[in-house]
Amino acid sequence: MDGKKRANIQAGLRVEIVLKQDQRTGKRTEGVVKDILTNSPTHPHGIKVRLADGQVGRVQAILG
């Protein structure tokens, strides 16, 4: 599934995100979506979300 479309993402989904400080390296962090922070229907770098543990980043992959 595509992490660039807001419609594909909902609270409770397991996703891989890239944190702001990891954007250069592309290091991914796995977690469960708590809040969707991007309001627009799409974003070229991925929809910004807050994970259940409080980390914020852009969705790169939806795991399920």
Side-chain angles (χ1 to χ4, degrees), residues 17-21 37 48-51 54-58:
I17 65 167
V18 171
L19 302 173
K20 182 76 171 176
Q21 64 266 26
L37 304 177
K48 191 180 278 188
V49 297
R50 179 180 293 116
L51 299 181
Q55 297 185 95
V56 173
R58 295 198 180 274

Side-chain angles (χ1 to χ4, degrees), residues 1 21-22 24-25 30 40-42 51 55 60 62-63:
M1 290 248 265
Q21 64 266 26
D22 295 332
R24 286 183 183 275
T25 63
E30 192 175 315
S40 63
T42 63
L51 299 181
Q55 297 185 95
Q60 301 301 301
I62 299 171
L63 305 175

Side-chain angles (χ1 to χ4, degrees):
M1 290 248 265
D2 190 5
K4 294 175 171 57
K5 292 188 178 147
R6 193 176 194 276
N8 293 343
I9 299 167
Q10 54 200 10
L13 275 183
R14 190 162 225 25
V15 296
E16 283 184 339
I17 65 167
V18 171
L19 302 173
K20 182 76 171 176
Q21 64 266 26
D22 295 332
Q23 282 177 350
R24 286 183 183 275
T25 63
K27 178 179 171 280
R28 293 181 175 193
T29 303
E30 192 175 315
V32 177
V33 175
K34 180 181 176 190
D35 301 309
I36 301 173
L37 304 177
T38 300
N39 289 322
S40 63
T42 63
H43 192 283
H45 302 297
I47 299 297
K48 191 180 278 188
V49 297
R50 179 180 293 116
L51 299 181
D53 62 6
Q55 297 185 95
V56 173
R58 295 198 180 274
V59 176
Q60 301 301 301
I62 299 171
L63 305 175

